Structures are given as C-alpha cells and as structure tokens.
Amino acid sequence: MPVSSAVQVRRLTGSIGAVLDAIDLRAPLAADAVARLRATIVEHQVVFVRDQHLTEDELRTFAARFGPLGVSPLHQVLGTGRTTSVIEDTADRPPAGFDWHTDLSWTAAPPALGFLSAVEIPAWGGDTMWASLSAAFDSLPPGTRAACRGLRVRHRPDRTLLESVARHHGDEVARRLRDAHPPVDHPLVRLHPVSGQRLLSLSPLYTEQVVGLERDTSAQLMATLERTLEDPHHQVRWRWAEGDVAVWDEAATCHRALTDHFPHRRVMRRCVVERGRPA
Ligand code: SIN
C-alpha cells in the first residue's frame, strides 16, 4: 500500500522489510498519512527511512503520532519518566550482544511498535537483523503448527539483561527491576491484531519454558522453533548509516543487533509505542 503518492515503498526481501523513499519524518503528518504509514509497517513488518537525522525530540514527536510512548521498565524503576533511551557502545562499554528478542516480551503488555534512530555508526559492523514471526510460523510443518496452538510460553527478564542493568545502574536497580517483573505467560501462537496473520511469538532471549511441558520437552520444542529464526529467508539485515530510522511491528518480528563493531563507537536512540491503540 503506498503511504502517499510521493512516498515510494521498496521491498527488501520476500518476507520482511521495506525502505521508504521520499518521506520526511519531521514533516507534519495528517491522520490519514499516519494510518497509511501504519498499514505499511504492518504489511512489511519493519521499514527503514534513510537520511533523517532526527533529534531526540523529533524522534519522540514522530513516534508519538502512532500512540502513547512507553516508559521502559528500567526508567520506571529509575523514576525518570523518560520515553527515549540511548544505546551507546564504546571500547569501555561493549555492545550488549543480546540474542533474538521481542522488546519487553517479559512484560504483561509488550509494546506495539519499536523505533531506532542511528546517531553514530561505525565504519563497519553493528548491523541489526529482524526476523518475521509470520514467515517463521508459515515455515512449520502442519503437525508442528497444530502442536503449538494453545501453548503458552513463560517470559522473564534475562540474566544478561539484568547483568547489563547492574553494570550500568547498580545491583539495587537490577534487583528492583527483577522484583517488579515476575515471569509472565504469553501465547506461543498469536493472531496479528491488524493483519490477522498467525505469528510464532518467539523471543529466545526472554523465554524460560513452555508452560506445562517437562523442561527437556520444552527445551527441544523451543530449540526446533527458534531454528526458524536463523533461516535467512525469514530475515532482513540492515546496514546502518547515520540518520537512518527503523520502525518495526513488535508483535510480528523479533530482532538482534550484531556486536562486530566492538571496540568502535555506535550510538542509537530508541523508543517504543504502547499497545494503547491498534497498531
Ligand atoms: C536491541 O536489541 O533492541 C537494540 C537494537 C540495536 O541496537 O540495533
């Protein structure tokens, strides 16, 4: 679906990702343009816009057109109320190297949309990859799909996340974050609220186990399902340039950032939109 007659949508792969050309994310967007943009994000699951160079305020203003901005659980614990955060990798602050995940899948209501804005990008490395959870579901044999329906998976803040919080904010903050977020169960297969596609709701970084299955059986099933994320046919990989913006559908994707730029500097701004309105 075209966003407007001027904006061009260039698909990047057979399953996920598109680049939007001829769009200025700083320009005021009428409600119908926002609706078309939202539909384009749902259709392609992640979209990229080059050369935007948004300030923190501009990122916030653009993202807020899609719904209420989320205050991350960390910022809730810190009491800052901040709706944007900075990911800053340096020689002294190595990249987190998180495995595939959907943002905040360990919360009761994970966000609808994720936004990243590239501030400083190394000469090489530091790409981000997204995988399509609808393509992952569609790739399963019918028997496995049937076996997955009705299952629920337990999510919790991962140890590496809590260690990273402890490193940057202290043990007490990490403990309060963990205590505020006991494990939460989400369906393994979900219908996308807008597209109606079936999604294999994987978030390996934050997944503990399938509820009600023996630990070994659960581990075997999850390992089989998580292998679908590694199929390049389900992925898009973005080589960042400074000023790029990515917007993704959190329900329909999971993502991971590569760490091969270490020890070079990489700075990103990020925010999320809550599920307050359909996205
Ligand atoms: C993330 O894992 O959410 C961060 C993505 C990135 O830095 O590219």
Side-chain angles (χ1 to χ4, degrees), residues 26 79 108 111 127-128 147 152 154 157 196 231 258 264:
R26 287 192 202 90
D127 298 357
T128 308
R152 293 177 75 77
R154 187 149 297 157
D231 183 341
L258 304 189
H264 300 290

Side-chain angles (χ1 to χ4, degrees), residues 87 89 98-99 101 103 116 126-128 130 240 248 255-258 266 268 270:
I87 300 165
D89 306 330
F98 292 140
D99 194 1
H101 61 282
D103 290 318
L116 270 176
D127 298 357
T128 308
W130 282 262
W240 294 99
W248 65 99
H255 61 275
R256 60 175 297 191
L258 304 189
R266 177 182 185 268
M268 311 292 285
R270 58 166 305 137

